[in-house]
Amino acid sequence: MKLGFVGTGAITEAVVTGLMKSRTDISSVIVSPRSAHAAFRLAEMFPLVRVGVDNQDVVDSADIVFLAVRPQIAEEVVKQLRFRQQQQVVSFIAAVQIEALAGWIGAPVTITRTIPLPFVAELRGATAIYPPNEQVAELFSSLGTAVQAENLKQYDLFGAASALMATYFGLLETSAHWLEAEGMSYDQASLYLKQLFGGLSHVTDASKEQSFEAMASEFSTKGGLNEQVFTEFTGNGGTKALTLALDSVLKRIEQS
């Protein structure tokens, strides 16, 4: 299997790193020279990786081409490339529909959209895929969990959910600064919160059949401190603000 990546940013680096850890059936990986520092770092780390002469070299050398460029320049980059008939194309490009990509490519290829996240470098997390494609799903299942969306609406919902990452870290940062303001050092607060939420992440991963509501109940004593924080968070508009933000980002995704 020969893989090519047009665009060598953080997500490409994460995907390639994960694949090099998990697969033995990849004969070569070619990455574009754009973001040269990341491209040459990958080539130095993994013998199967080489840096292409240009983006067309990547397309010409690959069975599966991954498009990992920013949405703002995607049309300009893709229109310059010549793809082979029936070539497999996997898009990481956020908010660009398959119909638009097909028009830019101008050749009968198979296009699949995916939302890989940085954790795939450590073979963790879920990658959303649309439309369902068994070959692509099998590849991404090596990097954690592959989730195939049944329709475009479901795929867009996965995209909205993936936008929660900054909010997660923002919650931790707010908590760390509160602890610091109360007299704890920021480093100590950060260490404690990382361990606390890391433990909760492990519990979440291990409780596949348990709802989040059930887990919240399990970790909250009736009338206790955990219940109090969530009640006050909800009462002060926390959950409403989150729901409104998700509604807003979904609307943005659907209108793109």
Side-chain angles (χ1 to χ4, degrees), residues 61-79:
S61 303
D63 303 317
I64 304 176
V65 179
F66 297 84
L67 301 177
V69 296
R70 291 181 290 109
Q72 296 88 339
I73 63 171
E75 181 176 4
E76 176 187 356
V77 171
V78 175
K79 279 186 172 180

Side-chain angles (χ1 to χ4, degrees), residues 91-158:
S91 173
F92 297 169
I93 308 170
V96 175
Q97 303 294 335
I98 287 175
E99 293 76 13
L101 279 173
W104 300 343
I105 290 171
V109 299
T110 299
I111 303 173
T112 309
R113 297 176 67 191
T114 64
I115 311 174
L117 301 173
F119 336 115
V120 295
E122 302 301 327
L123 312 184
R124 298 184 62 84
T127 300
I129 296 168
Y130 178 77
N133 182 308
E134 291 306 320
Q135 183 182 13
V136 175
E138 195 274 333
L139 196 63
F140 279 98
S141 67
S142 307
L143 305 179
T145 302
V147 182
Q148 301 202 64
E150 298 174 1
N151 49 55
L152 181 58
K153 174 69 173 186
Q154 191 178 82
Y155 182 78
D156 287 344
L157 288 170
F158 285 136

Side-chain angles (χ1 to χ4, degrees), residues 31-240:
V31 296
S32 66
R34 190 177 180 90
S35 301
H37 181 70
F40 284 99
R41 181 168 60 244
L42 286 170
E44 289 175 359
M45 290 173 59
F46 306 111
L48 292 180
V49 178
R50 77 171 177 90
V51 181
V53 176
D54 53 25
N55 287 337
Q56 189 60 54
D57 185 23
V58 173
V59 175
D60 292 342
S61 303
D63 303 317
I64 304 176
V65 179
F66 297 84
L67 301 177
V69 296
R70 291 181 290 109
Q72 296 88 339
I73 63 171
E75 181 176 4
E76 176 187 356
V77 171
V78 175
K79 279 186 172 180
Q80 294 176 357
L81 301 175
R82 299 179 305 279
F83 292 81
R84 300 189 301 277
Q85 291 189 14
Q86 309 310 318
Q87 197 165 22
Q88 188 85 250
V89 177
V90 179
S91 173
F92 297 169
I93 308 170
V96 175
Q97 303 294 335
I98 287 175
E99 293 76 13
L101 279 173
W104 300 343
I105 290 171
V109 299
T110 299
I111 303 173
T112 309
R113 297 176 67 191
T114 64
I115 311 174
L117 301 173
F119 336 115
V120 295
E122 302 301 327
L123 312 184
R124 298 184 62 84
T127 300
I129 296 168
Y130 178 77
N133 182 308
E134 291 306 320
Q135 183 182 13
V136 175
E138 195 274 333
L139 196 63
F140 279 98
S141 67
S142 307
L143 305 179
T145 302
V147 182
Q148 301 202 64
E150 298 174 1
N151 49 55
L152 181 58
K153 174 69 173 186
Q154 191 178 82
Y155 182 78
D156 287 344
L157 288 170
F158 285 136
S162 72
L164 287 166
M165 290 187 290
T167 303
Y168 171 82
F169 290 116
L171 177 64
L172 293 177
E173 182 72 356
T174 300
S175 301
H177 282 304
W178 179 83
L179 290 167
E180 183 182 32
E182 291 295 321
M184 185 181 294
S185 73
Y186 180 85
D187 288 345
Q188 190 176 20
S190 177
L191 176 63
Y192 181 78
L193 290 167
K194 285 178 181 178
Q195 295 302 311
L196 172 62
F197 279 79
L200 288 172
S201 177
H202 176 75
V203 170
T204 303
D205 193 46
S207 303
K208 298 184 185 299
E209 303 301 322
Q210 197 173 18
S211 70
F212 294 122
E213 183 179 21
M215 282 186 274
S217 178
E218 182 179 332
F219 281 80
S220 300
T221 303
K222 187 68 175 176
L225 303 181
N226 276 278
E227 183 184 71
Q228 178 183 340
V229 170
F230 186 67
T231 298
E232 294 193 17
F233 178 78
T234 301
N236 285 297
T239 52
K240 181 179 180 180

